[in-house]
Amino acid sequence: MIQSNNVEIHSIGLHKVGNKYMDEPLELSTELINLDDYIKNILVNYFLSKFNFFELFSLSHQIDVKYNEIFSISQEIFSKRDISVTETVDLAKHLYEQSTHPKIKGGEFYIVYFKDFVVNDKNVDAIGLFKSENKDTFLKIHSNGGNFEIESESGININKLDKGCVIFNTERENGYLVAIVDNTNKGSEAKYWTDDFLHVRPRKDSFNQTQNMLSLCKSFVSQLPSDNGKVEKATYMNRSVEALKEESVNINSFAEQVFETPELVSEFKQYKETYQKERDIEIDDTFETASTAIKRRATGTMTTIKLDKNFDINIHGGEQYIVRGYDEERGMYYYQLFFKEEK
């Protein structure tokens, strides 16, 4: 869907955005940066190499997307097909105003105008917003009169992008097409980039529909009673994954295929309604699936039974060949596994 093989940096602005809560400064530059082609190629790799472009979002606002500051500035930039210092300053100020969590690190903020992305076989311009927060230590070796000297220097590792966002000049009426990376914050402070600064929502596409359905299944199965160990839960998750491998999904046939009994099918459908309201998402009753979403969202521990600290049983199917019991003499539970050959 999205290709970045021939992408070029057309223009770039750079500011330093501190943590407003910690009274760190906002340092604004007065000019865009002039770069040679060699540095531009390095930066393209630094900015884009961590994006997978599978999970995509749109800019949003609780009232209307036109009130989203990133959206309105992006419109101005795309209308001119280039960035200006004024727009980069406005974006930096907006980011600074959202940097109020004590755990947010200050860093360099890059505003980039890209050309020659390919989206659905069409050349598309894009705006890149990137922030580098963490520094690495690098060694520099110097030769001096037949001897060597070693110095250390702090700098940005071009293989480690901290935060990134690419806004594609397509689907403007829906808040543009947006890709996001956040490799540093995982707690509540992470929301300042996606929710407070960008204010994005997942697109209602096959990838997110498939991810949401798989997450729904994991949530539903996890809260089911487990009178007979975890085999039954692992079975439900395996069936869910297999059902989502079909080209399309219908909620009625999906529920019957995975959960079988009328009581559990009905309970799943009711749970789906509550799940959607609590997370402000919508899973269609019928949708096209995306295999990439299944690969990214592996069922993990839901299909693995951990027995004390000694054994793990990974269940990929064949639940009819595993039996759980209790040994009165040892006072311990056990599993019996039946198979035809050992590999």
Side-chain angles (χ1 to χ4, degrees):
M1 181 180 181
I2 297 176
Q3 297 177 347
S4 58
N5 299 349
N6 300 313
V7 169
E8 294 182 354
I9 292 177
H10 180 68
S11 50
I12 180 170
L14 174 62
H15 308 285
K16 190 164 185 179
V17 180
N19 184 316
K20 184 177 181 180
Y21 177 86
M22 305 295 289
D23 292 324
E24 295 174 353
L26 170 63
E27 301 177 39
L28 300 171
S29 57
T30 58
E31 296 180 352
L32 299 180
I33 300 175
N34 291 318
L35 302 173
D36 60 36
D37 290 341
Y38 177 73
I39 297 297
K40 283 184 178 180
N41 289 333
I42 290 176
L43 287 176
V44 166
N45 182 70
Y46 171 54
F47 292 144
L48 302 181
S49 62
K50 301 304 178 183
F51 284 87
N52 58 52
F53 298 123
F54 290 131
E55 189 171 9
L56 298 170
F57 301 80
S58 299
L59 299 172
S60 67
H61 191 275
Q62 57 268 33
I63 299 175
D64 192 292
V65 70
K66 67 182 180 181
Y67 297 115
N68 181 309
E69 193 156 354
I70 303 297
F71 178 82
S72 60
I73 296 174
S74 297
Q75 276 190 305
E76 294 177 17
I77 293 172
F78 284 135
S79 67
K80 301 179 303 178
R81 300 194 68 186
D82 202 358
I83 58 174
S84 67
V85 172
T86 301
E87 290 149 352
T88 68
V89 167
D90 289 342
L91 288 165
K93 287 180 177 179
H94 178 52
L95 178 59
Y96 187 65
E97 290 301 317
Q98 313 310 318
S99 302
T100 55
H101 192 286
K103 290 186 178 181
I104 293 172
K105 294 180 180 180
E108 291 76 21
F109 179 50
Y110 311 82
I111 303 92
V112 185
Y113 195 83
F114 292 109
K115 287 187 174 293
D116 294 332
F117 270 99
V118 177
V119 180
N120 293 331
D121 299 323
K122 294 182 180 179
N123 276 31
V124 172
D125 292 353
I127 300 166
L129 307 175
F130 309 96
K131 189 182 176 196
S132 55
E133 298 176 337
N134 296 297
K135 302 293 187 293
D136 285 351
T137 299
F138 299 92
L139 296 178
K140 298 177 69 175
I141 312 297
H142 300 281
S143 177
N144 186 6
N147 296 314
F148 292 95
E149 298 176 354
I150 300 178
E151 295 179 0
S152 66
E153 188 171 326
S154 178
I156 298 167
N157 188 331
I158 61 172
N159 295 313
K160 295 180 180 179
L161 176 67
D162 291 324
K163 286 178 170 60
C165 165
V166 179
I167 303 167
F168 300 95
N169 189 15
T170 184
E171 300 186 20
R172 181 179 65 85
E173 66 281 1
N174 296 320
Y176 292 114
L177 193 64
V178 181
I180 297 174
V181 165
D182 188 348
N183 289 319
T184 52
N185 298 123
K186 303 301 180 185
S188 59
E189 70 274 18
K191 293 185 177 181
Y192 96 96
W193 180 253
T194 57
D195 293 2
D196 302 330
F197 174 57
L198 298 170
H199 204 89
V200 294
R201 59 175 172 78
R203 291 175 77 245
K204 194 177 176 183
D205 56 16
S206 60
F207 185 93
N208 283 303
Q209 290 272 296
T210 306
Q211 272 202 341
N212 288 336
M213 178 61 94
L214 191 53
S215 295
L216 163 64
C217 292
K218 291 174 73 171
S219 179
F220 175 70
V221 170
S222 65
Q223 54 86 50
L224 292 176
S226 54
D227 298 332
N228 191 33
K230 294 185 177 181
V231 175
E232 200 169 33
K233 291 187 176 184
T235 299
Y236 290 143
M237 286 313 305
N238 282 322
R239 288 179 186 169
S240 299
V241 171
E242 290 303 313
L244 287 171
K245 288 180 180 179
E246 301 292 331
E247 291 185 359
S248 63
V249 162
N250 173 274
I251 188 65
N252 292 321
S253 56
F254 176 90
E256 292 170 1
Q257 178 180 343
V258 174
F259 301 108
E260 294 184 334
T261 66
E263 295 79 13
L264 207 53
V265 168
S266 176
E267 187 179 339
F268 173 74
K269 291 180 180 178
Q270 293 175 9
Y271 189 87
K272 175 179 177 286
E273 298 304 315
T274 304
Y275 183 88
Q276 291 177 128
K277 291 177 182 177
E278 288 177 348
R279 289 159 179 79
D280 192 25
I281 61 173
E282 184 178 353
I283 304 172
D284 291 339
D285 288 342
T286 303
F287 62 88
E288 301 296 316
T289 60
S291 59
T292 49
I294 300 173
K295 292 175 183 177
R296 279 177 52 84
R297 287 285 182 95
T299 52
T301 55
M302 294 292 291
T303 56
T304 300
I305 301 176
K306 294 183 177 294
L307 307 177
D308 299 331
K309 295 183 180 180
N310 301 318
F311 309 102
D312 289 353
I313 301 176
N314 295 314
I315 300 177
H316 306 291
E319 62 273 6
Q320 67 272 30
Y321 302 120
I322 181 169
V323 177
R324 185 175 185 268
Y326 184 78
D327 189 304
E328 296 284 354
E329 185 176 338
R330 290 185 172 86
M332 300 174 70
Y333 292 97
Y334 65 84
Y335 280 103
Q336 285 182 313
L337 306 177
F338 298 89
F339 59 93
K340 292 182 178 180
E341 58 180 309
E342 185 174 356
K343 297 182 180 179

